[in-house]
Amino acid sequence: MFGYVVLALLFLWGVLMIAKPDLLWSIEHKDQMDRQRPTEKYVSTMRVAGSICMVLAVALFVMFLR
C-alpha cells in the first residue's frame, strides 16, 4: 500500500514539474533572487525531468500489479 502512495506522489510531482516549473523555481530561489525569472533551459529541463518521473511512476505501477 505504501508503494502505491509513493508512486502517486511521484506521478503528481512529475505533473507539477511539467505544469508549473516557474512555481518550483520561485520556491527553490525565494531568498536568493529578486524578481528574476528562470531561464528557458531550466524550464525545459524541469519538463523533461517531470516527464521522466511520470513515466517511471507508471512503469513501476505496472510492475507492482504483476
Side-chain angles (χ1 to χ4, degrees):
M1 181 68 178
F2 178 72
Y4 294 121
V5 172
V6 171
L7 290 178
L9 290 175
L10 181 63
F11 186 83
L12 291 175
W13 184 254
V15 170
L16 184 63
M17 290 172 77
I18 292 171
K20 298 287 186 178
D22 296 338
L23 174 66
L24 295 175
W25 186 87
S26 65
I27 291 170
E28 184 179 345
H29 298 288
K30 66 181 175 181
D31 293 334
Q32 298 171 357
M33 305 287 180
D34 250 355
R35 298 182 188 203
Q36 292 190 8
R37 307 299 306 156
T39 62
E40 284 298 316
K41 183 178 180 181
Y42 176 86
V43 172
S44 62
T45 302
M46 286 294 281
R47 289 189 171 144
V48 168
S51 300
I52 292 170
C53 285
M54 289 175 60
V55 168
L56 182 64
V58 170
L60 289 173
F61 179 74
V62 169
M63 284 178 52
F64 279 154
L65 289 178
R66 292 182 179 200

